[in-house]
Amino acid sequence: MSASFASALTAARDAAASQHYPQGALYVVATPIGNLADISLRALHVLQLADTVACEDTRHTQSLLRAYGIDKGAAQLLAVHQHNEAQAAQAVLERLQAGQRIAYVSDAGTPGVSDPGARLVAAVQAAGLRCVPLPGASSITSALSVAGAVAHGPADGGFLFAGFLPPKGAERAAAVQRLAAEPRCVVLLEAPHRIQDLAQALAVLGARRVTLARELTKQFEDISSHAARDLGAWLQGAPQRVKGEFVVLLHPMPQRQEDGAEADRVLGLLLAELPVKTAVRLAADLTGAPRNALYERALQLRRDAQD
């Protein structure tokens, strides 16, 4: 154990031990995505308390637990990964039905999003057993928090998580074309050996802003933003730029004032003759403006007309 975590285990016990941790429950535990200090006190306590730790890679998880000073024997570690998740879920169910507390961890971050875990959780829920989330590190929210890429307007607020795009060129290009029409921020994930291919595919987006977040929370963390058409050249500028795991953020599609004015004009003409829903649907088809924004604008125009 690293001496720096000895006090963390004591703090975890003091902070979390008084809470209730039911038996026969699956605890879905987020682990650090790089920096070992990004572990929660409750996660440390549950990992100590668990009768079994189900994990994506038993060797990786054993090393992680030992770094925190948590000792689990080989029989207490159960491999549950993308290749055996459906079958291994049965072993988890048997242990849960025997009253065990089971913690599930992926190699890094929050299980069940881009890592294994979703099928395991579904099986546990289908059996009428409890799943308890323990939040923590996430590469997705970490990247979003520093990219300034989430808009807050009525039409394009929030973000879309698209994960890994198809690896084959034609399928990837088709996926990018679909995302090109998405006005919100889009979150992608990519591995180092495919980041150049993704950059090439995204070049068709031209000036649209893209943030690359590489090796988040690790020693060589790098976060930079560029126009989509410039990504390939930037990646080729230094060998280290293509190393590590990537979160790729497509910034919201910029809205031009003239586009909004045209949509407003078309919507006003249609509202003079048609019900709101019909006018909004037709205005969206004619102008390409987001339907939700047109609907809000239509209601405002109707209110203004009544005043």
Side-chain angles (χ1 to χ4, degrees):
M1 174 181 63
S2 169
S4 58
F5 289 112
S7 58
L9 291 182
T10 301
R13 183 182 64 248
D14 293 343
S18 62
Q19 300 171 29
H20 178 54
Y21 299 93
Q23 294 180 303
L26 178 71
Y27 295 84
V28 182
V29 182
T31 55
I33 57 177
N35 191 319
L36 286 178
D38 293 337
I39 187 79
S40 74
L41 295 178
R42 192 156 64 111
L44 286 175
H45 182 71
V46 166
L47 289 171
Q48 292 179 88
L49 186 66
D51 300 294
T52 297
V53 177
C55 49
E56 190 175 358
D57 184 319
T58 55
R59 291 170 297 180
H60 176 90
T61 297
Q62 185 71 278
S63 297
L64 180 72
L65 295 175
R66 286 173 176 166
Y68 294 128
I70 300 172
D71 185 26
K72 298 289 182 185
Q76 293 178 283
L77 297 178
L78 181 64
V80 182
H81 47 73
Q82 63 176 341
H83 303 296
N84 78 339
E85 189 172 354
Q87 297 81 5
Q90 187 57 44
V92 172
L93 291 177
E94 291 172 0
R95 297 192 188 199
L96 290 174
Q97 289 161 346
Q100 287 195 13
R101 298 181 182 93
I102 299 182
Y104 180 68
V105 300
S106 61
D107 284 350
T110 303
V113 182
S114 61
D115 292 333
R119 284 184 290 180
L120 173 62
V121 167
V124 171
Q125 292 177 338
L129 298 168
R130 186 172 178 183
C131 296
V132 181
L134 271 71
S138 164
S139 62
I140 298 164
T141 52
S142 295
L144 286 167
S145 70
V146 294
V150 179
H152 299 285
D156 55 6
F159 64 92
L160 171 69
F161 176 64
F164 289 92
L165 294 187
K168 294 183 179 179
E171 295 175 0
R172 181 184 291 251
V176 170
Q177 286 298 330
R178 290 192 295 271
L179 293 176
E182 171 57 56
R184 295 171 294 174
C185 172
V186 178
V187 182
L188 305 173
L189 302 176
E190 195 50 274
H193 64 281
R194 289 202 297 260
I195 189 62
Q196 286 280 20
D197 293 337
L198 178 61
Q200 183 177 355
L202 292 178
V204 300
L205 301 181
R208 189 163 178 177
R209 198 78 173 158
V210 178
T211 292
L212 297 178
R214 181 178 67 89
E215 291 291 85
L216 288 173
T217 80
K218 301 178 184 178
Q219 182 179 358
F220 300 108
E221 177 182 88
D222 183 38
I223 301 166
S224 57
S225 298
H226 311 272
R229 59 174 170 253
D230 299 330
L231 288 178
W234 183 82
L235 287 169
Q236 293 172 4
Q240 71 272 16
R241 291 177 182 173
V242 296
K243 296 179 180 179
E245 301 298 322
F246 288 83
V247 179
V248 181
L249 306 178
L250 309 186
H251 286 235
M253 189 182 301
Q255 289 192 338
R256 296 180 299 181
Q257 291 297 321
E258 58 268 25
D259 290 346
E262 176 62 14
D264 228 29
R265 185 185 72 81
V266 172
L267 182 61
L269 292 172
L270 293 172
L271 284 172
E273 306 293 337
L274 299 169
V276 168
K277 288 187 177 179
T278 305
V280 167
R281 177 174 56 81
L282 290 174
D285 291 342
L286 290 168
T287 67
R291 190 171 295 191
N292 289 343
L294 288 172
Y295 185 75
E296 293 294 328
R297 182 58 178 154
L299 295 180
Q300 182 62 51
L301 291 172
R302 281 288 168 91
R303 287 193 294 266
D304 291 346
Q306 293 170 0
D307 290 343

